[in-house]
Amino acid sequence: MHKIDIYDTSLRDGAQTEGISYSVNDKILIAKKLDELGVDFIEGGWPGSNPKDLEFFKAAKKIKFKNSKLTAFGSTRRKDKTASKDPIINALAASGVKIITIFGKSWDLHVKDVLKVSPEENLKMISDTISYLKSKKIDVFYDAEHFFDGYKYNPDYALKTLLTAQGAGAGVIILCDTNGGTLTSEISEIILQVKPHIKAALGIHVHNDNAMAVANSVAAVQAGCTQVQGTINGYGERCGNADLCAIIPALQIKLGYRCIRDANLKDITEVSRYVTEVSNMKQQDNQPYVGTSAFAHKAGVHINAMVKNPLTYEHIRPQAVGNERRYLASELAGKTSILFKAKQLSFDLAKDGKDTQKLHQLIQKLEFEGYQFEAAEASFELLIKKTLQKYKKFFELEGFRVVVEKRQDNTLISEATVKISVNDKKRHTASEGDGPVNALDGALRKALQDFYPELSKMHLSDFKVRVLNSKAGTAAKVRVFIESQDEKSSWWTVGVSENIIEASWQALVDSIEYKLLKERREPK
Amino acid sequence: MHKIDIYDTSLRDGAQTEGISYSVNDKILIAKKLDELGVDFIEGGWPGSNPKDLEFFKAAKKIKFKNSKLTAFGSTRRKDKTASKDPIINALAASGVKIITIFGKSWDLHVKDVLKVSPEENLKMISDTISYLKSKKIDVFYDAEHFFDGYKYNPDYALKTLLTAQGAGAGVIILCDTNGGTLTSEISEIILQVKPHIKAALGIHVHNDNAMAVANSVAAVQAGCTQVQGTINGYGERCGNADLCAIIPALQIKLGYRCIRDANLKDITEVSRYVTEVSNMKQQDNQPYVGTSAFAHKAGVHINAMVKNPLTYEHIRPQAVGNERRYLASELAGKTSILFKAKQLSFDLAKDGKDTQKLHQLIQKLEFEGYQFEAAEASFELLIKKTLQKYKKFFELEGFRVVVEKRQDNTLISEATVKISVNDKKRHTASEGDGPVNALDGALRKALQDFYPELSKMHLSDFKVRVLNSKAGTAAKVRVFIESQDEKSSWWTVGVSENIIEASWQALVDSIEYKLLKERREPK
């Protein structure tokens, strides 16, 4: 089985997506996830282009990657400096990575109009930069920017830039369709022409402006490239980069290449959704392989045939990429997964029992309202216990009130009061906070602390808000996820309401109830 | 110039998209728009499969199409009836259209497992159905369902189904990749093998499960197909059909084929957005050719180069398809993009001027705090005007107060009061709402309505919340985006705070100020 190296540039090219703005911490979360998936290379950013990327490489030094190698990205040296005196090249070399990807110009139009140097000087910029980094014992991948456009305008010069990079010691030469407008037929044809001239390994890096990024990447591999650059979900500038979530399964399942471990293929859907969440983007329902609609059948004739033989309307088994089949017309989905989750939580339910039925209906209703339990298992466990009447309330709410006030001098005050009772003992407390939810959290803890001192050992560690029907404007429904943790574990809870305070309250209460339940649980 | 016929199936295959449910009127609106664009064929639906489609064909008889021909879609006859006695075939024939597209089985697996008839009976079903319709003076296009999968499993039989359809009089034979999993290389190869055997015109109909629908359609034309079936925006079951908004420009601009009139190419972006609206879907920002990000530049090096020569990072001129170039304001881009943005807004700033410096520093500071202006151009415009002191406040805030209260009986109340003044005239108003932000929105509008009645013409159309440093739990900072619209346009604004109410307030105030400014702007 031929190995194809997967080079992920989500953290650099993907960060150019309109609407994405990663914090250093976001980038670290994504890098760790990519390492788990087992891509070969993770391009962390362009140290020297902005302070955030410098900070990322500093933080990344402390991470021990199990499967992936971290790379940094940068341009050829400036036209008026030697590589050894160029501060950006030196920042790159100092980033601590063992592999650096350098991009340079292959299209003479760019050399003339953008760099404004002679064709010869551009070749020197390429060779100087690569030689200098190689002298520092750093491996270099060379991204031939605009290669396909350049080759169409001036094939001799474009080829010369590749040979220069190869001569200077680049280990892999990546042919880029930077503007994303090259047709699949041109990609194949040009690679077949170029390949005989190049001894180094070839890679492919394409954009999606023609809606052909995945087809072009696969065609490039068929024509002889052995490294594929792309991003999770195809994030990237303009119309995006090539979507690795489609390329990896196509190469591995359909063409028999090896990109990642076979056992990891089924993690692709989860990785796609995780990166979507961290990027705070909306997952595209119809995204190939990993979208929620990718294996959803709606037409009557299709569903009829699917029941007879799933091969009839599915190009691969959805499980192969960790996705699932859905039938839209008949709301059949669900029960199996409920039984499975209940079992994980040590509830043994019968497949056609009354409790299963009741739970199934309740969950369908709640999911229709916008709840989502996949990412909030603590709320799911509470829901099962409450439905099976295995649950005793820890406190009664008599009411809460949250006030946010802004004065003319811009002072902003958030205050909450909470009234609860535990076994008829009442508490009425108040708290200020950094915002309304923070104030509410404070007041509730104050009210419960005499009864449940163990709550002082837990704290909220994450908070997410997603607007569900955003077209309803400020009256839209929101879903809130809260993560809590104590010294032993962490857990997620969920709340949904048109009122963000109420949605947060639901998740807050679940989080506290789950903690109290956890403390009282019999050892299994 | 070689003509390629465009066959739009948005109203039939596109209606299978998860989340789309067209009324008869929606379908008529879309059909008229497609006729204006000038596609050759509009597939209206499957009369006989559901009452809505029957009604559509009845209504469509009254429409006089200027450029397009209406077609109906249906299956081969039932296995136990002759075509002349099959009620569904007769419903088709009675639909009033002059062209009917019949789909039949090319894959023996389907013949055996789904139809459960002999291979010979399937051939008879194909020929009977086509001959019967031809005898009624109706032209027939034949959709060879699952042709590519069928050909891979049993090429002889798959080819025999095509020859049967041709023998019975089908005018065009359309090769379908119904499951959408065929690779571009296979599409080209199989068509080149099949073409010498078929005298009829060939068409192509593919799905996007491999993210290759556009590439496959274009490759099919290069291999000799002269009809392309697809949908606007690539709507369709699972991962969708082939996106005509990408295929038409690729064939016409890049390969010199003629699909629609040259003069109509620039309408494609508008048609895409119109169909999005009628379908009540969200436009995909990064959709090739027609998305709002399709020609949006964010990376600093790209913007720098674009200023020198737009060919450098654009595969076609955005105007060619009626789209536009945008420069995003971003921390990665820096000064150049600020200057460009300012220029678009008719502010002429000097590159190294004091104002530019000040603006640049302020934006960097705000982006560090979590603001993001690339997706909130209205806030960006206000920021420029305020910084350049070209701005006069429309009202003074004296204070607001928001109360959310939950009672023991679960009643939930959100109330806001707002105190403002306009030219020393005070207003103090109150409003309830679906949540705290909705209540605040209501109270602010009430307070301003006497002074600015034009505000009744705008409303909030989208609302997004992102938690920035989610690890801070409920004390985390949040960024709120609000989209507003009036009858002419829509605009985005942004707010950031640890307090979600305050963040929403900022975006709300910007949105209102932008509207008021817009109304007062001198015609340029």
Side-chain angles (χ1 to χ4, degrees), chain A residues 87-105:
Chain A
I88 300 189
I89 302 292
N90 280 306
L92 263 174
S95 66
V97 302
K98 300 277 190 301
I99 302 168
I100 290 176
T101 299
I102 290 293
F103 81 94
K105 300 290 188 190

mmCIF file of all heavy atoms in Angstrom, chain A residues 87-105:
data_model
loop_
_atom_site.group_PDB
_atom_site.id
_atom_site.type_symbol
_atom_site.label_atom_id
_atom_site.label_comp_id
_atom_site.label_asym_id
_atom_site.label_seq_id
_atom_site.Cartn_x
_atom_site.Cartn_y
_atom_site.Cartn_z
ATOM 1 N N PRO A 87 15.481 39.177 9.168
ATOM 2 C CA PRO A 87 14.936 38.883 10.507
ATOM 3 C C PRO A 87 13.790 37.856 10.470
ATOM 4 O O PRO A 87 13.632 37.068 11.399
ATOM 5 C CB PRO A 87 14.453 40.233 11.015
ATOM 6 C CG PRO A 87 14.374 41.132 9.822
ATOM 7 C CD PRO A 87 15.362 40.610 8.830
ATOM 8 N N ILE A 88 13.002 37.868 9.387
ATOM 9 C CA ILE A 88 11.862 36.938 9.335
ATOM 10 C C ILE A 88 12.362 35.505 9.134
ATOM 11 O O ILE A 88 11.854 34.562 9.743
ATOM 12 C CB ILE A 88 10.854 37.349 8.241
ATOM 13 C CG1 ILE A 88 10.341 38.768 8.569
ATOM 14 C CG2 ILE A 88 9.691 36.378 8.171
ATOM 15 C CD1 ILE A 88 9.202 39.247 7.719
ATOM 16 N N ILE A 89 13.386 35.352 8.280
ATOM 17 C CA ILE A 89 13.960 34.013 8.084
ATOM 18 C C ILE A 89 14.563 33.517 9.407
ATOM 19 O O ILE A 89 14.427 32.347 9.776
ATOM 20 C CB ILE A 89 15.045 34.035 6.979
ATOM 21 C CG1 ILE A 89 14.457 34.542 5.650
ATOM 22 C CG2 ILE A 89 15.686 32.661 6.804
ATOM 23 C CD1 ILE A 89 13.450 33.635 5.000
ATOM 24 N N ASN A 90 15.190 34.440 10.143
ATOM 25 C CA ASN A 90 15.784 34.021 11.413
ATOM 26 C C ASN A 90 14.737 33.699 12.475
ATOM 27 O O ASN A 90 14.927 32.792 13.278
ATOM 28 C CB ASN A 90 16.794 35.058 11.898
ATOM 29 C CG ASN A 90 18.120 34.888 11.166
ATOM 30 O OD1 ASN A 90 18.685 33.797 11.151
ATOM 31 N ND2 ASN A 90 18.588 35.948 10.508
ATOM 32 N N ALA A 91 13.606 34.433 12.436
ATOM 33 C CA ALA A 91 12.505 34.108 13.354
ATOM 34 C C ALA A 91 11.990 32.704 13.050
ATOM 35 O O ALA A 91 11.692 31.912 13.948
ATOM 36 C CB ALA A 91 11.378 35.132 13.219
ATOM 37 N N LEU A 92 11.903 32.387 11.756
ATOM 38 C CA LEU A 92 11.485 31.055 11.320
ATOM 39 C C LEU A 92 12.434 29.982 11.870
ATOM 40 O O LEU A 92 12.001 28.978 12.459
ATOM 41 C CB LEU A 92 11.546 30.965 9.797
ATOM 42 C CG LEU A 92 10.291 31.181 8.981
ATOM 43 C CD1 LEU A 92 10.650 31.179 7.512
ATOM 44 C CD2 LEU A 92 9.274 30.107 9.292
ATOM 45 N N ALA A 93 13.731 30.225 11.638
ATOM 46 C CA ALA A 93 14.730 29.237 12.062
ATOM 47 C C ALA A 93 14.696 29.049 13.570
ATOM 48 O O ALA A 93 14.977 27.954 14.073
ATOM 49 C CB ALA A 93 16.114 29.677 11.598
ATOM 50 N N ALA A 94 14.322 30.116 14.285
ATOM 51 C CA ALA A 94 14.326 30.055 15.750
ATOM 52 C C ALA A 94 13.032 29.480 16.319
ATOM 53 O O ALA A 94 12.890 29.350 17.532
ATOM 54 C CB ALA A 94 14.558 31.455 16.312
ATOM 55 N N SER A 95 12.097 29.130 15.446
ATOM 56 C CA SER A 95 10.791 28.685 15.949
ATOM 57 C C SER A 95 10.869 27.332 16.641
ATOM 58 O O SER A 95 9.952 26.933 17.345
ATOM 59 C CB SER A 95 9.777 28.622 14.801
ATOM 60 O OG SER A 95 10.161 27.613 13.888
ATOM 61 N N GLY A 96 11.963 26.617 16.420
ATOM 62 C CA GLY A 96 12.136 25.354 17.144
ATOM 63 C C GLY A 96 11.646 24.133 16.391
ATOM 64 O O GLY A 96 11.779 23.013 16.875
ATOM 65 N N VAL A 97 11.085 24.310 15.182
ATOM 66 C CA VAL A 97 10.612 23.146 14.440
ATOM 67 C C VAL A 97 11.745 22.577 13.583
ATOM 68 O O VAL A 97 12.717 23.265 13.287
ATOM 69 C CB VAL A 97 9.407 23.482 13.539
ATOM 70 C CG1 VAL A 97 8.258 24.041 14.365
ATOM 71 C CG2 VAL A 97 9.812 24.471 12.451
ATOM 72 N N LYS A 98 11.574 21.326 13.191
ATOM 73 C CA LYS A 98 12.616 20.643 12.403
ATOM 74 C C LYS A 98 12.350 20.719 10.904
ATOM 75 O O LYS A 98 13.171 20.344 10.093
ATOM 76 C CB LYS A 98 12.669 19.152 12.799
ATOM 77 C CG LYS A 98 12.991 18.905 14.269
ATOM 78 C CD LYS A 98 14.493 18.959 14.507
ATOM 79 C CE LYS A 98 14.865 18.473 15.897
ATOM 80 N NZ LYS A 98 14.226 19.242 16.990
ATOM 81 N N ILE A 99 11.126 21.139 10.557
ATOM 82 C CA ILE A 99 10.756 21.226 9.133
ATOM 83 C C ILE A 99 10.126 22.592 8.885
ATOM 84 O O ILE A 99 9.230 23.007 9.627
ATOM 85 C CB ILE A 99 9.723 20.145 8.750
ATOM 86 C CG1 ILE A 99 10.263 18.745 9.059
ATOM 87 C CG2 ILE A 99 9.337 20.261 7.264
ATOM 88 C CD1 ILE A 99 9.209 17.659 8.973
ATOM 89 N N ILE A 100 10.590 23.258 7.850
ATOM 90 C CA ILE A 100 9.996 24.552 7.504
ATOM 91 C C ILE A 100 9.544 24.511 6.045
ATOM 92 O O ILE A 100 10.245 23.994 5.171
ATOM 93 C CB ILE A 100 10.987 25.700 7.742
ATOM 94 C CG1 ILE A 100 11.174 25.870 9.260
ATOM 95 C CG2 ILE A 100 10.489 27.014 7.123
ATOM 96 C CD1 ILE A 100 12.192 26.904 9.655
ATOM 97 N N THR A 101 8.338 25.013 5.820
ATOM 98 C CA THR A 101 7.827 25.102 4.460
ATOM 99 C C THR A 101 8.028 26.530 3.975
ATOM 100 O O THR A 101 7.556 27.468 4.594
ATOM 101 C CB THR A 101 6.337 24.729 4.419
ATOM 102 O OG1 THR A 101 6.206 23.384 4.874
ATOM 103 C CG2 THR A 101 5.772 24.842 3.009
ATOM 104 N N ILE A 102 8.758 26.659 2.889
ATOM 105 C CA ILE A 102 9.045 27.981 2.318
ATOM 106 C C ILE A 102 8.251 28.132 1.034
ATOM 107 O O ILE A 102 8.264 27.232 0.191
ATOM 108 C CB ILE A 102 10.553 28.102 2.012
ATOM 109 C CG1 ILE A 102 11.353 28.185 3.311
ATOM 110 C CG2 ILE A 102 10.852 29.307 1.122
ATOM 111 C CD1 ILE A 102 11.124 29.452 4.109
ATOM 112 N N PHE A 103 7.534 29.241 0.924
ATOM 113 C CA PHE A 103 6.867 29.443 -0.364
ATOM 114 C C PHE A 103 7.605 30.489 -1.181
ATOM 115 O O PHE A 103 8.162 31.452 -0.644
ATOM 116 C CB PHE A 103 5.386 29.804 -0.199
ATOM 117 C CG PHE A 103 5.088 31.244 0.129
ATOM 118 C CD1 PHE A 103 4.807 32.157 -0.884
ATOM 119 C CD2 PHE A 103 5.056 31.679 1.435
ATOM 120 C CE1 PHE A 103 4.512 33.487 -0.593
ATOM 121 C CE2 PHE A 103 4.760 33.005 1.745
ATOM 122 C CZ PHE A 103 4.488 33.913 0.735
ATOM 123 N N GLY A 104 7.640 30.240 -2.477
ATOM 124 C CA GLY A 104 8.306 31.172 -3.380
ATOM 125 C C GLY A 104 7.518 31.275 -4.668
ATOM 126 O O GLY A 104 6.543 30.557 -4.873
ATOM 127 N N LYS A 105 7.951 32.168 -5.521
ATOM 128 C CA LYS A 105 7.179 32.495 -6.720
ATOM 129 C C LYS A 105 7.594 31.656 -7.930
ATOM 130 O O LYS A 105 8.776 31.562 -8.251
ATOM 131 C CB LYS A 105 7.398 33.968 -7.077
ATOM 132 C CG LYS A 105 6.976 34.953 -5.985
ATOM 133 C CD LYS A 105 5.477 35.008 -5.834
ATOM 134 C CE LYS A 105 5.053 36.133 -4.896
ATOM 135 N NZ LYS A 105 3.614 36.033 -4.567
#
